[in-house]
Amino acid sequence: HKVLRAMRVEYDALLEFAVRCLVRAGSCEENAKTVARVLVEADLCGITSHGVNRLDLYCSELERKAVDGAAQPVIENDAPASALVDGCNAQGAVVGEFCMKLAIAKARETGVGWVSAHHSNHYGIAGWYARMAAAEGMIGMSCTNTSPVGVPSRSARPALGTNPIGFAGPTLGEPVVLDMATTTVPLGKIEVAHRKGEAVPPGWGVDAQGLPTQQPDKILFGGGLTYLGGPEETSGYKGYGLALMVEMLCGVMTGASTGPHVGNTMNPNAVHRQHAVDLGQCFIAMDPSRICPGYPARLDALVGDLHGLPAAANAPGPVLVPGEKEQAMAREQHAHGVELHDNIVTVLQALGKRLEVPWPGSE
């Protein structure tokens, strides 16, 4: 198979390129800066599935008016510790940052802030919003429903999304950040295997009859992804339960689209979408000092205990906690440039040419 080459792009230059593309596609500049920051942050952390490779689709949605690039979220139902926000079909990251900032402000006053949103869009990495709360010394959580690509236990048809969960807690140093889909793998990994003509590992997906398959075409066309745990006999019903929990917190809670009624958003079938997708999202900030002061130090000590565990004989390195690998990669790439594979660069250069935005270094 062809070995993908990569190039480094300076962080600020990549950020500026993304902002200019979004503005040309129909976003106001303030919103474009928010969205671009979340996209490039994903690449910094090595979460390339949610990075600037989504920029082309984001711009396409703006050009087709499927997403409103100038919209601002509106508080629809307000209470001291909670709120319902109408995303007004704004870009997902704009809705997400608005909601988590509101949740943090409420948590400062009441100890807990719970903000839910509907009429939103794909908001990037869930961990970004949880980290916003952790940066303020709070515990943060965010989750979102997505297009139905996951097949519930015993089903032969997809009905729920990858429904990711972001959760973060402050320490005396870097926060602990869990950022995970509730499916076994994201859809993008199946798409990559399909392009390469490779089989996928057992337990990743099922075919149109709901039977396990390692053939990516059968998963992508008529089948779907399994939830964490894979088949029922290896506890896939637990991942399915987590996905349903997210749906209950996001779609059902807010009156947004739910489960099989959520439209396509971030896959190849979404390229001609004209209508609002109406995603539901949840943002929670909690001030742990209201319950028991000293949370960051205690979590720091627990992380130290985990770091001190002896490594397994076949382990590729020491024991880590969620978020550490991503934080180390972000520091390295911020200093030396964001690594982008050639195939992504080619797409971005074509996008820039179409929107008349020069690729970094070509001006």
Side-chain angles (χ1 to χ4, degrees), residues 42-120:
D43 282 307
L44 270 183
C45 295
I47 311 172
T48 55
S49 60
H50 288 62
V52 291
N53 74 315
R54 294 294 189 196
L55 184 61
D56 191 21
L57 188 52
Y58 276 18
C59 288
S60 174
E61 289 179 327
L62 289 166
E63 290 176 303
R64 285 182 276 112
K65 311 296 184 187
V67 174
D68 188 340
Q72 294 294 330
V74 174
I75 298 173
E76 196 171 31
N77 186 357
D78 201 13
S82 64
L84 174 65
V85 168
D86 184 345
C88 298
N89 199 34
Q91 295 162 99
V94 174
V95 179
E97 289 205 356
F98 176 92
C99 289
M100 185 49 89
K101 287 176 181 176
L102 180 59
I104 291 168
K106 289 180 178 296
R108 285 200 184 100
E109 295 298 319
T110 67
V112 178
W114 185 310
V115 178
S116 299
H118 62 143
H119 294 148
S120 189

Side-chain angles (χ1 to χ4, degrees), residues 49 54 185-195 204 220 225:
S49 60
R54 294 294 189 196
V185 293
L187 193 66
K189 287 198 174 185
I190 310 293
E191 292 170 341
V192 169
H194 183 249
R195 286 195 296 270
W204 281 18
L220 291 171
L225 301 174

Side-chain angles (χ1 to χ4, degrees), residues 29-352:
E29 187 159 358
E30 180 184 0
N31 287 0
K33 287 178 177 178
T34 298
V35 175
R37 187 168 59 245
V38 176
L39 287 177
V40 177
E41 182 68 23
D43 282 307
L44 270 183
C45 295
I47 311 172
T48 55
S49 60
H50 288 62
V52 291
N53 74 315
R54 294 294 189 196
L55 184 61
D56 191 21
L57 188 52
Y58 276 18
C59 288
S60 174
E61 289 179 327
L62 289 166
E63 290 176 303
R64 285 182 276 112
K65 311 296 184 187
V67 174
D68 188 340
Q72 294 294 330
V74 174
I75 298 173
E76 196 171 31
N77 186 357
D78 201 13
S82 64
L84 174 65
V85 168
D86 184 345
C88 298
N89 199 34
Q91 295 162 99
V94 174
V95 179
E97 289 205 356
F98 176 92
C99 289
M100 185 49 89
K101 287 176 181 176
L102 180 59
I104 291 168
K106 289 180 178 296
R108 285 200 184 100
E109 295 298 319
T110 67
V112 178
W114 185 310
V115 178
S116 299
H118 62 143
H119 294 148
S120 189
N121 286 287
H122 188 273
Y123 73 175
I125 48 175
W128 172 263
Y129 309 100
R131 282 166 49 196
M132 288 174 62
E136 300 295 327
M138 298 184 185
I139 297 168
M141 178 177 170
S142 179
C143 50
T144 178
N145 66 0
T146 76
S147 303
V149 294
V151 179
S153 299
R154 303 188 179 185
S155 174
R157 183 178 299 171
L160 299 172
T162 58
N163 291 15
I165 300 167
F167 185 86
T171 71
L172 299 178
E174 297 278 9
V176 175
V177 184
L178 174 67
D179 189 343
M180 52 169 268
T182 52
T183 47
T184 305
V185 293
L187 193 66
K189 287 198 174 185
I190 310 293
E191 292 170 341
V192 169
H194 183 249
R195 286 195 296 270
K196 290 182 175 181
E198 295 177 349
V200 300
W204 281 18
V206 297
D207 62 18
Q209 284 72 50
L211 299 174
T213 181
Q214 293 181 249
Q215 298 180 45
D217 58 328
K218 290 188 176 182
I219 298 172
L220 291 171
F221 306 108
L225 301 174
T226 57
Y227 283 99
L228 285 170
E232 183 173 351
E233 57 267 26
T234 53
S235 300
Y237 53 85
K238 294 181 181 179
Y240 163 42
L242 286 173
L244 182 57
M245 179 191 79
V246 170
E247 197 69 57
M248 292 161 67
L249 291 173
C250 295
V252 179
M253 177 76 81
T254 64
S257 298
T258 56
H261 307 292
V262 178
N264 286 324
T265 52
M266 300 309 293
N267 61 44
N269 299 319
V271 293
H272 300 302
R273 178 172 70 88
Q274 299 289 342
H275 305 293
V277 73
D278 188 18
L279 294 184
Q281 292 159 351
C282 176
F283 306 85
I284 303 171
M286 297 165 276
D287 181 356
S289 69
R290 297 293 190 100
I291 295 174
C292 182
Y295 181 94
R298 293 194 300 275
L299 181 54
D300 210 63
L302 176 57
V303 170
D305 291 338
L306 297 171
H307 283 166
L309 292 171
N314 61 347
V319 175
L320 302 174
V321 297
E324 275 190 288
K325 287 171 65 176
E326 292 79 7
Q327 289 158 4
M329 182 170 285
R331 287 191 295 270
E332 190 274 334
Q333 294 204 106
H334 212 292
H336 300 106
V338 181
E339 186 175 276
L340 298 175
H341 287 296
D342 278 357
N343 57 350
I344 295 176
V345 171
T346 299
V347 170
L348 292 176
Q349 288 175 332
L351 175 66

